[in-house]
Amino acid sequence: MSRIEADLLAGHFRPGEWLKQADVEANYNANRFDVRMALLDLKARQLIEHIPNRGFRVINLSEREREELFETRSILETAAAKLAAERISDETIAELEAIVRQFEVQMETAELDELRALNGRFHDLLYQSSGNSLLAEEIKALRQRGLPGARGGGLAWRTMAGILQSHEDHVRMIALLRARDGDGLAEAICGHLNMWRKYLPKP
């Protein structure tokens, strides 16, 4: 049932959309037990919620919940960035550069799902380089919790300019890693993480 997780994280379901078990079974050609286990796992990770006597639906964070999520991510990701700048190996920096080059090559032609996957690989590898696996896992879990929604990083990626800005941020992060500039990297990460705010509709 990894397909439903992938579709959920790729934004193929609307925030608040109901996931009827019978529909999931039919759409993913899966049996009732596997679907139930998959839905319970997604609920435990707070990607969907269970409403008693009604069923499961995609999480729909309130404005306050999303603000708290991004505030927490900013704290954890800037801390991880400083550790990564100290501990990352030259080989891992080269791996990050390869991901960035692949993103650049595919930026104008690939599907958004492919670009999101590359973006996820970049950030997962960066935070794993902090040398703190628990910190890296918590950051990934929080990032995934913010994906099923209209706000957050996906907002910036609705335009080519936003995708290009994301790429340029990654290039800058690699330069800061090579310079072992933890403070500069933390600042870049914080700006990158909150880039979506520039794309909010004007009041």
Short mmCIF file of all heavy atoms in Angstrom, two decimals, residues 101-151:
data_model
loop_
_atom_site.label_atom_id
_atom_site.label_comp_id
_atom_site.label_asym_id
_atom_site.label_seq_id
_atom_site.Cartn_x
_atom_site.Cartn_y
_atom_site.Cartn_z
N ARG A 101 22.14 18.77 -9.76
CA ARG A 101 22.32 18.77 -11.23
C ARG A 101 21.18 18.05 -11.92
O ARG A 101 20.69 18.51 -12.97
CB ARG A 101 23.66 18.12 -11.59
CG ARG A 101 24.88 19.00 -11.31
CD ARG A 101 26.11 18.47 -12.02
NE ARG A 101 26.47 17.12 -11.58
CZ ARG A 101 27.27 16.86 -10.56
NH1 ARG A 101 27.81 17.86 -9.86
NH2 ARG A 101 27.55 15.62 -10.21
N GLN A 102 20.75 16.93 -11.35
CA GLN A 102 19.64 16.19 -11.94
C GLN A 102 18.36 17.03 -11.91
O GLN A 102 17.59 17.06 -12.87
CB GLN A 102 19.42 14.88 -11.19
CG GLN A 102 18.39 13.96 -11.83
CD GLN A 102 18.25 12.64 -11.10
OE1 GLN A 102 18.98 12.35 -10.15
NE2 GLN A 102 17.31 11.83 -11.53
N PHE A 103 18.14 17.73 -10.80
CA PHE A 103 16.97 18.61 -10.67
C PHE A 103 17.02 19.70 -11.74
O PHE A 103 16.01 19.99 -12.40
CB PHE A 103 16.97 19.23 -9.27
CG PHE A 103 15.72 20.00 -8.94
CD1 PHE A 103 14.71 19.42 -8.18
CD2 PHE A 103 15.55 21.32 -9.36
CE1 PHE A 103 13.55 20.14 -7.86
CE2 PHE A 103 14.40 22.03 -9.05
CZ PHE A 103 13.41 21.44 -8.29
N GLU A 104 18.20 20.29 -11.94
CA GLU A 104 18.33 21.37 -12.91
C GLU A 104 18.03 20.88 -14.32
O GLU A 104 17.33 21.55 -15.09
CB GLU A 104 19.74 21.95 -12.85
CG GLU A 104 19.96 23.13 -13.79
CD GLU A 104 21.35 23.72 -13.66
OE1 GLU A 104 22.26 23.01 -13.21
OE2 GLU A 104 21.52 24.90 -14.02
N VAL A 105 18.53 19.70 -14.66
CA VAL A 105 18.31 19.14 -16.00
C VAL A 105 16.82 18.88 -16.24
O VAL A 105 16.31 19.11 -17.34
CB VAL A 105 19.13 17.84 -16.16
CG1 VAL A 105 18.70 17.09 -17.42
CG2 VAL A 105 20.62 18.16 -16.23
N GLN A 106 16.12 18.41 -15.20
CA GLN A 106 14.72 18.00 -15.36
C GLN A 106 13.71 19.09 -15.01
O GLN A 106 12.51 18.91 -15.18
CB GLN A 106 14.46 16.78 -14.47
CG GLN A 106 15.29 15.57 -14.83
CD GLN A 106 14.95 14.35 -13.99
OE1 GLN A 106 14.05 14.38 -13.16
NE2 GLN A 106 15.68 13.27 -14.19
N MET A 107 14.21 20.23 -14.56
CA MET A 107 13.35 21.26 -13.99
C MET A 107 12.20 21.67 -14.91
O MET A 107 11.08 21.90 -14.46
CB MET A 107 14.21 22.48 -13.64
CG MET A 107 13.59 23.44 -12.68
SD MET A 107 14.81 24.52 -11.90
CE MET A 107 15.94 24.92 -13.24
N GLU A 108 12.46 21.80 -16.20
CA GLU A 108 11.45 22.32 -17.11
C GLU A 108 10.66 21.23 -17.82
O GLU A 108 9.67 21.53 -18.50
CB GLU A 108 12.11 23.23 -18.14
CG GLU A 108 12.72 24.49 -17.54
CD GLU A 108 13.21 25.46 -18.60
OE1 GLU A 108 12.92 25.23 -19.78
OE2 GLU A 108 13.88 26.44 -18.25
N THR A 109 11.06 19.97 -17.67
CA THR A 109 10.41 18.91 -18.44
C THR A 109 9.77 17.82 -17.58
O THR A 109 8.84 17.16 -18.03
CB THR A 109 11.43 18.24 -19.38
OG1 THR A 109 12.53 17.73 -18.61
CG2 THR A 109 11.96 19.25 -20.40
N ALA A 110 10.26 17.63 -16.36
CA ALA A 110 9.77 16.52 -15.53
C ALA A 110 8.43 16.86 -14.89
O ALA A 110 8.05 18.03 -14.76
CB ALA A 110 10.80 16.19 -14.44
N GLU A 111 7.70 15.81 -14.52
CA GLU A 111 6.47 15.99 -13.75
C GLU A 111 6.82 16.51 -12.36
O GLU A 111 7.91 16.27 -11.85
CB GLU A 111 5.73 14.65 -13.62
CG GLU A 111 5.28 14.05 -14.94
CD GLU A 111 4.15 14.86 -15.57
OE1 GLU A 111 3.41 15.53 -14.82
OE2 GLU A 111 4.01 14.81 -16.81
N LEU A 112 5.87 17.22 -11.76
CA LEU A 112 6.10 17.77 -10.42
C LEU A 112 6.42 16.67 -9.41
O LEU A 112 7.23 16.87 -8.50
CB LEU A 112 4.88 18.57 -9.96
CG LEU A 112 4.84 20.05 -10.35
CD1 LEU A 112 3.57 20.69 -9.82
CD2 LEU A 112 6.06 20.79 -9.83
N ASP A 113 5.80 15.51 -9.57
CA ASP A 113 6.07 14.40 -8.64
C ASP A 113 7.54 14.02 -8.66
O ASP A 113 8.13 13.72 -7.61
CB ASP A 113 5.22 13.18 -8.99
CG ASP A 113 3.75 13.37 -8.62
OD1 ASP A 113 3.41 14.43 -8.06
OD2 ASP A 113 2.95 12.45 -8.89
N GLU A 114 8.14 14.02 -9.86
CA GLU A 114 9.57 13.67 -9.97
C GLU A 114 10.44 14.73 -9.31
O GLU A 114 11.42 14.41 -8.63
CB GLU A 114 9.94 13.52 -11.45
CG GLU A 114 9.23 12.40 -12.17
CD GLU A 114 9.57 12.39 -13.65
OE1 GLU A 114 10.73 12.09 -13.99
OE2 GLU A 114 8.69 12.70 -14.48
N LEU A 115 10.09 16.00 -9.50
CA LEU A 115 10.86 17.07 -8.89
C LEU A 115 10.71 17.04 -7.37
O LEU A 115 11.68 17.27 -6.64
CB LEU A 115 10.41 18.43 -9.43
CG LEU A 115 10.67 18.66 -10.93
CD1 LEU A 115 10.17 20.04 -11.34
CD2 LEU A 115 12.15 18.52 -11.26
N ARG A 116 9.51 16.76 -6.89
CA ARG A 116 9.31 16.65 -5.44
C ARG A 116 10.13 15.51 -4.86
O ARG A 116 10.67 15.63 -3.75
CB ARG A 116 7.82 16.44 -5.14
CG ARG A 116 6.95 17.67 -5.35
CD ARG A 116 5.57 17.48 -4.73
NE ARG A 116 4.71 18.61 -5.01
CZ ARG A 116 3.75 18.62 -5.94
NH1 ARG A 116 3.57 17.56 -6.70
NH2 ARG A 116 3.00 19.69 -6.12
N ALA A 117 10.22 14.41 -5.60
CA ALA A 117 11.01 13.28 -5.11
C ALA A 117 12.49 13.65 -5.01
O ALA A 117 13.16 13.31 -4.03
CB ALA A 117 10.83 12.08 -6.04
N LEU A 118 13.00 14.36 -6.00
CA LEU A 118 14.40 14.81 -5.95
C LEU A 118 14.61 15.79 -4.81
O LEU A 118 15.62 15.74 -4.10
CB LEU A 118 14.78 15.46 -7.28
CG LEU A 118 15.00 14.53 -8.47
CD1 LEU A 118 15.15 15.33 -9.76
CD2 LEU A 118 16.23 13.65 -8.25
N ASN A 119 13.64 16.69 -4.62
CA ASN A 119 13.73 17.65 -3.53
C ASN A 119 13.77 16.92 -2.18
O ASN A 119 14.56 17.27 -1.29
CB ASN A 119 12.53 18.59 -3.59
CG ASN A 119 12.56 19.65 -2.50
OD1 ASN A 119 13.39 20.54 -2.50
ND2 ASN A 119 11.64 19.54 -1.55
N GLY A 120 12.93 15.91 -2.04
CA GLY A 120 12.91 15.13 -0.81
C GLY A 120 14.23 14.42 -0.57
O GLY A 120 14.73 14.37 0.56
N ARG A 121 14.80 13.85 -1.64
CA ARG A 121 16.10 13.16 -1.51
C ARG A 121 17.18 14.12 -1.06
O ARG A 121 18.03 13.79 -0.22
CB ARG A 121 16.50 12.53 -2.86
CG ARG A 121 15.81 11.21 -3.17
CD ARG A 121 16.17 10.74 -4.57
NE ARG A 121 17.62 10.70 -4.78
CZ ARG A 121 18.19 10.66 -5.99
NH1 ARG A 121 17.43 10.67 -7.08
NH2 ARG A 121 19.49 10.61 -6.10
N PHE A 122 17.17 15.34 -1.61
CA PHE A 122 18.16 16.34 -1.25
C PHE A 122 18.09 16.66 0.24
O PHE A 122 19.09 16.63 0.96
CB PHE A 122 17.95 17.61 -2.07
CG PHE A 122 18.90 18.73 -1.73
CD1 PHE A 122 20.12 18.85 -2.39
CD2 PHE A 122 18.59 19.66 -0.74
CE1 PHE A 122 21.01 19.87 -2.07
CE2 PHE A 122 19.47 20.69 -0.42
CZ PHE A 122 20.68 20.79 -1.08
N HIS A 123 16.89 16.96 0.71
CA HIS A 123 16.74 17.36 2.11
C HIS A 123 16.96 16.19 3.06
O HIS A 123 17.55 16.37 4.14
CB HIS A 123 15.38 18.01 2.32
CG HIS A 123 15.30 19.39 1.75
ND1 HIS A 123 15.88 20.48 2.36
CD2 HIS A 123 14.75 19.86 0.60
CE1 HIS A 123 15.67 21.56 1.64
NE2 HIS A 123 15.00 21.21 0.55
N ASP A 124 16.51 15.00 2.68
CA ASP A 124 16.75 13.84 3.55
C ASP A 124 18.25 13.61 3.73
O ASP A 124 18.73 13.39 4.85
CB ASP A 124 16.10 12.58 2.94
CG ASP A 124 14.59 12.60 3.06
OD1 ASP A 124 14.05 13.41 3.83
OD2 ASP A 124 13.94 11.78 2.37
N LEU A 125 18.99 13.65 2.63
CA LEU A 125 20.43 13.42 2.70
C LEU A 125 21.13 14.53 3.48
O LEU A 125 22.04 14.27 4.27
CB LEU A 125 21.00 13.32 1.28
CG LEU A 125 22.51 13.01 1.16
CD1 LEU A 125 22.86 11.73 1.90
CD2 LEU A 125 22.92 12.92 -0.30
N LEU A 126 20.69 15.76 3.28
CA LEU A 126 21.29 16.88 4.00
C LEU A 126 21.13 16.70 5.51
O LEU A 126 22.10 16.84 6.27
CB LEU A 126 20.63 18.19 3.56
CG LEU A 126 21.02 19.45 4.34
CD1 LEU A 126 22.53 19.70 4.28
CD2 LEU A 126 20.26 20.67 3.82
N TYR A 127 19.93 16.36 5.95
CA TYR A 127 19.69 16.26 7.39
C TYR A 127 20.27 14.98 7.98
O TYR A 127 20.66 14.96 9.15
CB TYR A 127 18.20 16.41 7.69
CG TYR A 127 17.70 17.78 7.30
CD1 TYR A 127 16.57 17.95 6.51
CD2 TYR A 127 18.39 18.92 7.70
CE1 TYR A 127 16.14 19.21 6.14
CE2 TYR A 127 17.97 20.19 7.32
CZ TYR A 127 16.85 20.33 6.54
OH TYR A 127 16.43 21.59 6.16
N GLN A 128 20.36 13.92 7.17
CA GLN A 128 21.05 12.72 7.64
C GLN A 128 22.52 13.02 7.91
O GLN A 128 23.15 12.40 8.77
CB GLN A 128 20.91 11.60 6.61
CG GLN A 128 19.52 10.98 6.52
CD GLN A 128 19.30 10.20 5.26
OE1 GLN A 128 20.24 9.94 4.49
NE2 GLN A 128 18.06 9.81 5.00
N SER A 129 23.04 14.01 7.19
CA SER A 129 24.45 14.38 7.35
C SER A 129 24.71 15.10 8.66
O SER A 129 25.87 15.35 9.01
CB SER A 129 24.88 15.29 6.18
OG SER A 129 24.70 14.63 4.95
N SER A 130 23.64 15.42 9.41
CA SER A 130 23.83 16.02 10.73
C SER A 130 24.46 15.02 11.70
O SER A 130 24.99 15.42 12.74
CB SER A 130 22.48 16.48 11.29
OG SER A 130 21.66 15.36 11.63
N GLY A 131 24.39 13.73 11.35
CA GLY A 131 24.92 12.70 12.23
C GLY A 131 23.97 12.32 13.34
O GLY A 131 24.30 11.51 14.21
N ASN A 132 22.76 12.89 13.32
CA ASN A 132 21.74 12.60 14.33
C ASN A 132 20.53 12.01 13.61
O ASN A 132 19.71 12.74 13.06
CB ASN A 132 21.37 13.87 15.08
CG ASN A 132 20.43 13.62 16.25
OD1 ASN A 132 19.52 12.82 16.17
ND2 ASN A 132 20.66 14.33 17.36
N SER A 133 20.42 10.68 13.60
CA SER A 133 19.37 10.02 12.83
C SER A 133 17.98 10.33 13.39
O SER A 133 17.01 10.44 12.63
CB SER A 133 19.60 8.51 12.81
OG SER A 133 19.64 7.98 14.12
N LEU A 134 17.87 10.48 14.71
CA LEU A 134 16.56 10.80 15.30
C LEU A 134 16.09 12.18 14.84
O LEU A 134 14.92 12.36 14.47
CB LEU A 134 16.65 10.76 16.82
CG LEU A 134 15.35 11.10 17.58
CD1 LEU A 134 14.23 10.16 17.20
CD2 LEU A 134 15.60 11.05 19.08
N LEU A 135 17.00 13.13 14.82
CA LEU A 135 16.67 14.47 14.35
C LEU A 135 16.23 14.45 12.90
O LEU A 135 15.23 15.06 12.51
CB LEU A 135 17.88 15.40 14.54
CG LEU A 135 17.74 16.86 14.11
CD1 LEU A 135 16.58 17.54 14.83
CD2 LEU A 135 19.05 17.61 14.36
N ALA A 136 16.97 13.71 12.07
CA ALA A 136 16.64 13.62 10.64
C ALA A 136 15.27 12.97 10.43
O ALA A 136 14.49 13.42 9.57
CB ALA A 136 17.72 12.83 9.91
N GLU A 137 14.96 11.94 11.21
CA GLU A 137 13.66 11.26 11.08
C GLU A 137 12.51 12.17 11.50
O GLU A 137 11.45 12.18 10.86
CB GLU A 137 13.66 9.99 11.94
CG GLU A 137 14.55 8.88 11.39
CD GLU A 137 14.77 7.77 12.40
OE1 GLU A 137 14.13 7.80 13.48
OE2 GLU A 137 15.58 6.87 12.12
N GLU A 138 12.71 12.95 12.57
CA GLU A 138 11.66 13.85 13.02
C GLU A 138 11.41 14.95 11.99
O GLU A 138 10.26 15.34 11.74
CB GLU A 138 12.05 14.48 14.37
CG GLU A 138 11.99 13.52 15.54
CD GLU A 138 10.59 12.95 15.76
OE1 GLU A 138 9.61 13.72 15.68
OE2 GLU A 138 10.48 11.73 16.01
N ILE A 139 12.46 15.46 11.39
CA ILE A 139 12.31 16.49 10.36
C ILE A 139 11.53 15.94 9.17
O ILE A 139 10.62 16.60 8.66
CB ILE A 139 13.70 17.01 9.92
CG1 ILE A 139 14.32 17.85 11.03
CG2 ILE A 139 13.59 17.82 8.63
CD1 ILE A 139 15.77 18.23 10.79
N LYS A 140 11.86 14.74 8.75
CA LYS A 140 11.16 14.14 7.61
C LYS A 140 9.68 13.93 7.93
O LYS A 140 8.80 14.22 7.10
CB LYS A 140 11.81 12.80 7.24
CG LYS A 140 11.17 12.14 6.02
CD LYS A 140 11.93 10.89 5.61
CE LYS A 140 11.33 10.26 4.37
NZ LYS A 140 12.10 9.08 3.92
N ALA A 141 9.39 13.45 9.14
CA ALA A 141 8.00 13.22 9.54
C ALA A 141 7.21 14.52 9.56
O ALA A 141 6.06 14.57 9.10
CB ALA A 141 7.96 12.55 10.91
N LEU A 142 7.82 15.58 10.06
CA LEU A 142 7.14 16.88 10.10
C LEU A 142 6.92 17.43 8.70
O LEU A 142 5.88 18.03 8.40
CB LEU A 142 7.93 17.87 10.95
CG LEU A 142 7.89 17.64 12.47
CD1 LEU A 142 8.86 18.57 13.17
CD2 LEU A 142 6.48 17.85 13.01
N ARG A 143 7.92 17.25 7.82
CA ARG A 143 7.77 17.72 6.45
C ARG A 143 6.58 17.02 5.78
O ARG A 143 5.77 17.65 5.10
CB ARG A 143 9.04 17.48 5.65
CG ARG A 143 8.96 18.06 4.23
CD ARG A 143 10.26 17.89 3.46
NE ARG A 143 10.43 16.54 2.96
CZ ARG A 143 11.42 15.72 3.30
NH1 ARG A 143 12.35 16.12 4.15
NH2 ARG A 143 11.51 14.52 2.79
N GLN A 144 6.47 15.71 5.99
CA GLN A 144 5.38 14.95 5.38
C GLN A 144 4.03 15.37 5.94
O GLN A 144 3.05 15.41 5.20
CB GLN A 144 5.61 13.46 5.60
CG GLN A 144 6.78 12.91 4.80
CD GLN A 144 6.98 11.43 4.99
OE1 GLN A 144 6.52 10.83 5.97
NE2 GLN A 144 7.70 10.80 4.08
N ARG A 145 3.97 15.72 7.21
CA ARG A 145 2.71 16.16 7.80
C ARG A 145 2.19 17.44 7.14
O ARG A 145 0.99 17.68 7.11
CB ARG A 145 2.88 16.40 9.30
CG ARG A 145 2.81 15.14 10.14
CD ARG A 145 2.98 15.46 11.60
NE ARG A 145 1.94 16.35 12.11
CZ ARG A 145 1.94 16.88 13.32
NH1 ARG A 145 2.95 16.64 14.14
NH2 ARG A 145 0.96 17.66 13.70
N GLY A 146 3.08 18.25 6.62
CA GLY A 146 2.67 19.50 5.99
C GLY A 146 2.32 19.38 4.53
O GLY A 146 1.85 20.34 3.92
N LEU A 147 2.54 18.21 3.94
CA LEU A 147 2.33 18.08 2.49
C LEU A 147 0.86 18.05 2.07
O LEU A 147 0.51 18.67 1.06
CB LEU A 147 3.05 16.83 1.97
CG LEU A 147 4.58 16.92 1.97
CD1 LEU A 147 5.19 15.60 1.53
CD2 LEU A 147 5.05 18.04 1.05
N PRO A 148 -0.02 17.33 2.77
CA PRO A 148 -1.43 17.32 2.33
C PRO A 148 -2.14 18.61 2.70
O PRO A 148 -2.86 18.69 3.67
CB PRO A 148 -2.04 16.12 3.09
CG PRO A 148 -0.90 15.39 3.70
CD PRO A 148 0.18 16.41 3.91
N GLY A 149 -1.89 19.67 1.94
CA GLY A 149 -2.53 20.94 2.25
C GLY A 149 -2.28 21.96 1.17
O GLY A 149 -1.40 21.82 0.33
N ALA A 150 -3.04 23.03 1.20
CA ALA A 150 -2.92 24.05 0.17
C ALA A 150 -1.78 25.01 0.45
O ALA A 150 -1.31 25.71 -0.44
CB ALA A 150 -4.23 24.83 0.07
N ARG A 151 -1.33 25.08 1.72
CA ARG A 151 -0.26 26.00 2.06
C ARG A 151 1.02 25.22 2.31
O ARG A 151 1.03 24.01 2.38
CB ARG A 151 -0.63 26.84 3.28
CG ARG A 151 -1.88 27.67 3.05
CD ARG A 151 -1.93 28.81 4.03
NE ARG A 151 -3.13 29.59 3.90
CZ ARG A 151 -3.31 30.54 3.01
NH1 ARG A 151 -2.37 30.84 2.15
NH2 ARG A 151 -4.43 31.21 2.95
#
